[in-house]
Amino acid sequence: MKPLTKRDLETLGDLEAANRNLTDVGHRGGWAKPMDCCGSNGSHHGATLAKLAKRGLASRKGYNPGIRPVWTYKITPAGIAVLQSR
């Protein structure tokens, strides 16, 4: 398996911050959408978060707020350990 890139680690850090902020305000149980992690329409964030989820560094679940489903993400203990080790 390829090592994580700098962009992967930055996105993992953005996810951790978004989860913490969303938990603090009681929104969606802390689960973050790519847009909550500094993403924008067409950015790499959705693909990067999916990659992190496949590696077990984030959990992923979907919900359907309207026309199409949306994935939300939460950092796992393994993801926190990766952030703490760098």
Side-chain angles (χ1 to χ4, degrees):
M1 188 179 299
K2 288 184 181 180
L4 294 173
T5 65
K6 180 179 177 184
R7 183 167 81 173
D8 296 338
L9 292 170
E10 288 172 355
T11 303
L12 189 61
D14 291 340
L15 175 61
E16 191 273 333
N19 291 155
R20 190 172 357 101
N21 290 337
L22 290 168
T23 298
D24 288 347
V25 298
H27 191 60
R28 286 193 308 265
W31 289 82
K33 297 184 293 187
M35 300 287 275
D36 299 324
C37 302
C38 305
S40 62
N41 195 12
S43 71
H44 70 87
H45 291 81
T48 302
L49 288 167
K51 174 183 174 181
L52 295 171
K54 284 183 182 179
R55 290 181 170 225
L57 303 176
S59 295
R60 177 168 104 157
K61 73 176 185 174
Y63 77 102
N64 198 349
I67 297 172
R68 64 187 183 106
V70 175
W71 289 109
T72 56
Y73 298 87
K74 201 170 218 182
I75 194 165
T76 62
I80 293 170
V82 167
L83 289 178
Q84 291 175 344
S85 69
R86 58 178 189 148

